[in-house]
Every structure is written in structure tokens, then in C-alpha cells.
Amino acid sequence: MLTVATWNVNSLKARMERVLSWLDRAAPDVVCLQETKLTDAAFPAAAFVSAGYESLHFGQGQWNGVAILSRLGISEPARGLIGEPGGEARALGATCGPLRVYSLYVPNGRSLDSDHYRYKLEWMDALAGTVSAELRSREHLVLGGDFNIAFDDRDVWSPGAFEGTTHVSAPEREVLERIYQLGLTDLFRVQHQEEGLFTWWDYRGGSFHKRQGMRIDLLIGSRAVAENLSWTLIDRNERKGPGPSDHAPVLAGLQIG
DNA sequence: ATGGTCGATGGTCGA
């Protein structure tokens, strides 16, 4: 059994204590982290070594920043996507044992009429191209990330509340569908079909306790990964207690390796 | 419910 996970930590500096205790408890083999908000120089690689993980980090400080932790070795780093717009630290690829892994922090989009929304769609185009290229040589591909897209209405607490906003617009859902059509699967959704299973809750207004969230953090696997999927879960407990990220980790168990 | 919260900052902005 091989466990992969993704978690938007919303500042690794602010979250490090929780991340280390979660690693100890959840014992994942490969972890994709997003929003580290660190420079590469400030990334706490030594602390992860002490916890048993090799790591790669692609950061810029202040905003964005993605990392991969691995207990299965880590090699062949890819910083950024093929033809990626923006030049921000939002995508990091690595080979971890039998898996080719990407940690992804998709642009938020802000609003449907903003340049940042167009940037989001262009960024997703670059992701589709990169995935397509990776699939030519890799059988076992896993994308873990904060996609900032709720693929269908089951993935938001109130479809009415999201009308006219980002995360649910048809172009966003279509570009994610294009990635699925390359042969990839939303690993959590294939096992859990009900509505109201979320990975992100706004800090404001007690959203978590009101169960008002979105499912935007995804583990997406190629066919060879999906065929060997054993279990998936959202670690809701990590959204509780003092000093949580606004995102919960998502985990998957694979019968690989 | 456009934010009453966070985290980057050290003004406000981004989510």
C-alpha cells in the first residue's frame, strides 16, 4: 500500500507544527503541499528529513509556493508547466518511487471579468499540455493540488450562492473535464458520490461549522493509478482545533509498488 | 451573507 496526499497549508511557516504532527499521524508516503508562501531558502527541508521525508520546493516567498515530500525517493524535478503563463511558483513535478507526481496550485481567478480569470484558464491549458506530454512516457501519474475549481454542483455547499462566480463557471469545469478526457480520474469522486463532501471552508463566518465549503482540492490519477485505487478520504479533522489551514488534506491509498 | 478570518505584511491585498 502506498499513500499519497495533497494539502494546501496556507503558509507552511504558520502551519509547520501541525504539518509535522499530521505527517506522524497520517504517515503518507508522498505529499503535495501548496501555498507554502516561502522562498526556497526558507523551506524547512531539514525538519522534513528528521520526519523521514525527502523534499522538493518551488517557492517565491509571500505568495504561492508548492512542495513535494516523499519517503520513496524524489528525482527528476520539473519546476513549472510547459508553456506556463505568469511565471509564478504554482507547479512542481517529481518522480517518487513508481509515481510521477505534480503538486499544483491553480490560480484563484478572483472574478469572471478579471485578467486573473483569463490567466487561470490559460494556466489550466498549460497544465493540460503538460499532463498530455507526461502521459507519453509515464504510466503512473498523480496530480495533487488546490485546483480552485468545483467540478460539479455536488462540490459546493449552495450552487445558488456561487452563480456568476469563479470556481463553478462552465469554462473552468470544461478545462478540468479536458484533463479527465486525457484518461485521468478524480480519485476521491470515483469512490464517494454524495454531495457536501468538502476540502475547503472559508475562515470567515463559521463556514466550517455550518458545513459551507467547497471540494476544490483533488488527487487526480492516470488510468494505471485509478485501477489500483484502494481508498480515499478527506482528513476533516485537520480543519479543526487551533490554527488550522482553511483546507483539509485529501489522501488516497494505492495498491502500487 | 461580499463578510464577521486568516496570513502575507507593516499600506492593504489576496483568498
Side-chain angles (χ1 to χ4, degrees):
Chain A
M1 182 69 68
L2 190 165
T3 303
V4 298
T6 185
W7 192 8
N8 180 325
V9 295
N10 185 21
S11 170
L12 188 56
K13 185 179 173 201
R15 215 69 58 211
M16 192 58 181
E17 196 176 325
R18 282 193 74 132
V19 170
L20 288 174
S21 88
W22 173 78
L23 286 174
D24 191 49
R25 181 173 61 78
D29 295 297
V30 176
V31 185
C32 300
L33 299 176
Q34 300 86 37
E35 283 207 88
T36 63
K37 300 185 180 178
L38 295 175
T39 60
D40 289 339
F43 182 76
F48 288 126
V49 167
S50 297
Y53 292 87
E54 293 181 83
S55 61
L56 280 173
H57 182 249
F58 178 34
Q60 61 185 74
Q62 190 170 15
W63 290 306
N64 310 313
V66 283
I68 298 174
L69 315 180
S70 174
R71 305 201 292 196
L72 310 174
I74 194 159
S75 61
E76 301 179 278
R79 289 173 170 79
L81 304 170
I82 299 165
E84 178 179 338
E88 297 183 304
R90 293 181 176 275
L92 176 65
T95 303
C96 303
L99 302 178
R100 184 67 178 163
V101 178
Y102 272 83
S103 181
L104 303 167
Y105 177 44
V106 178
N108 175 287
R110 298 181 192 170
S111 63
L112 298 185
D113 59 357
S114 77
D115 289 340
H116 203 264
Y117 177 74
R118 282 183 284 283
Y119 166 50
K120 179 179 195 174
L121 295 175
E122 288 165 13
W123 195 96
M124 286 295 292
D125 272 339
L127 175 60
T130 302
V131 166
S132 185
E134 289 280 3
L135 287 172
R136 283 177 214 132
S137 59
R138 316 276 184 168
E139 199 180 354
H140 295 91
L141 177 66
V142 175
L143 313 179
D146 174 0
F147 282 78
N148 273 316
I149 297 171
F151 185 66
D152 66 41
D153 285 349
R154 292 173 294 174
D155 297 324
V156 296
W157 64 272
S158 167
F162 287 89
E163 271 176 46
T165 72
T166 61
H167 295 62
V168 301
S169 74
E172 289 166 274
R173 288 173 167 179
E174 282 159 12
V175 71
L176 190 49
E177 172 64 23
R178 272 184 22 228
I179 287 172
Y180 294 147
Q181 282 173 1
L182 295 171
L184 274 66
T185 301
D186 175 347
L187 297 180
F188 182 83
R189 185 53 92 199
V190 77
Q191 293 198 323
H192 306 279
Q193 281 84 48
E194 57 268 48
E195 63 180 21
L197 301 173
F198 305 135
T199 65
W200 173 87
W201 301 261
D202 201 310
Y203 281 124
R204 296 167 293 188
S207 300
F208 180 68
H209 295 291
K210 295 179 193 168
R211 301 180 179 273
Q212 297 180 349
M214 284 196 273
R215 193 176 69 93
I216 54 177
D217 299 272
L218 306 175
L219 288 169
I220 295 173
S222 62
R223 238 182 290 272
V225 169
E227 283 168 358
N228 292 285
L229 179 62
S230 178
W231 55 268
T232 49
L233 66 83
I234 298 168
D235 198 348
R236 276 183 93 258
N237 286 331
E238 276 306 319
R239 184 61 177 79
K240 302 176 182 174
S245 170
D246 45 356
H247 297 252
V250 182
L251 295 89
L254 308 172
Q255 301 278 2
I256 294 173

